[in-house]
C-alpha cells in the first residue's frame, strides 16, 4: 500500500514539474495542491491499514470501507481548503495533478517489490 502512495507522490512531483514549465509558478502550486490532496489522505489510510494488519486478528471489511470513506471525504476537504487558501489556482494544472495522483494506483501493481 505504501508503494502506491510513493507512486502517487512521484506522479504529483511529475505533474508539478510539468505544470511549472507550462503554467509557471501558479500552475506548479496548483498542481501541488491537487496532488497532495490525494497523497496525504492515501498515506494516512495506508498507515491505518498497516497498523490494523500488525494488530493481528481479522480485519473487518467495515473498517476498510469506513477508512476509504474518510479518505475520500478528506480528499474533498483538502481540495476545498487548498482552493480557499489559494484562490488564484490554475484549474487545468490542479485537475491534471489530481487525476495523475488518483490513477497512479493503477501502476502500483506493475511495479515489483
Amino acid at each position: 500500500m505504501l508503494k502506491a502512495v510513493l507512486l502517487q507522490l512521484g506522479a504529483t512531483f511529475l505533474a508539478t514539474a510539468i505544470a511549472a514549465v507550462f503554467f509557471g509558478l501558479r500552475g506548479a502550486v496548483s498542481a501541488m495542491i491537487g496532488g497532495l490532496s490525494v497523497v496525504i489522505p492515501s498515506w494516512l489510510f495506508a498507515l491505518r491499514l498497516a497498523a490494523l494488519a500488525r494488530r493481528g486478528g481479522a480485519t473487518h471489511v467495515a473498517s476498510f470501507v469506513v477508512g476509504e470513506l474518510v479518505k475520500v471525504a478528506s480528499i474533498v476537504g483538502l481540495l476545498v481548503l487548498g482552493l480557499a487558501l489559494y484562490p488564484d489556482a490554475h484549474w487545468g494544472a490542479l485537475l491534471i495533478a489530481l487525476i495523475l495522483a488518483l490513477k497512479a494506483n493503477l501502476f502500483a501493481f506493475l511495479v515489483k517489490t
Side-chain angles (χ1 to χ4, degrees):
M1 195 71 185
L2 291 174
K3 175 175 55 173
V5 176
L6 289 176
L7 284 173
Q8 285 180 331
L9 189 60
T12 298
F13 288 148
L14 178 69
T16 301
I18 292 170
V21 169
F22 287 107
F23 306 119
L25 180 63
R26 179 176 161 234
V29 171
S30 301
M32 190 60 74
I33 289 170
L36 288 180
S37 294
V38 174
V39 172
I40 292 170
S42 295
W43 177 66
L44 293 173
F45 182 63
L47 287 178
R48 182 175 182 273
L49 285 181
L52 286 175
R54 275 193 305 263
R55 188 172 67 180
T59 56
H60 301 337
V61 175
S63 65
F64 178 82
V65 171
V66 168
E68 190 68 30
L69 179 68
V70 169
K71 182 179 96 167
V72 170
S74 299
I75 290 171
V76 172
L78 285 174
L79 282 171
V80 169
L81 178 66
L83 291 173
L85 294 176
Y86 190 66
D88 194 33
H90 189 280
W91 282 94
L94 187 139
L95 289 175
I96 289 170
L98 178 73
I99 292 169
L100 277 176
L102 285 171
K103 295 303 175 188
N105 288 338
L106 298 175
F107 295 109
F109 299 111
L110 299 176
V111 177
K112 294 183 181 184
T113 52

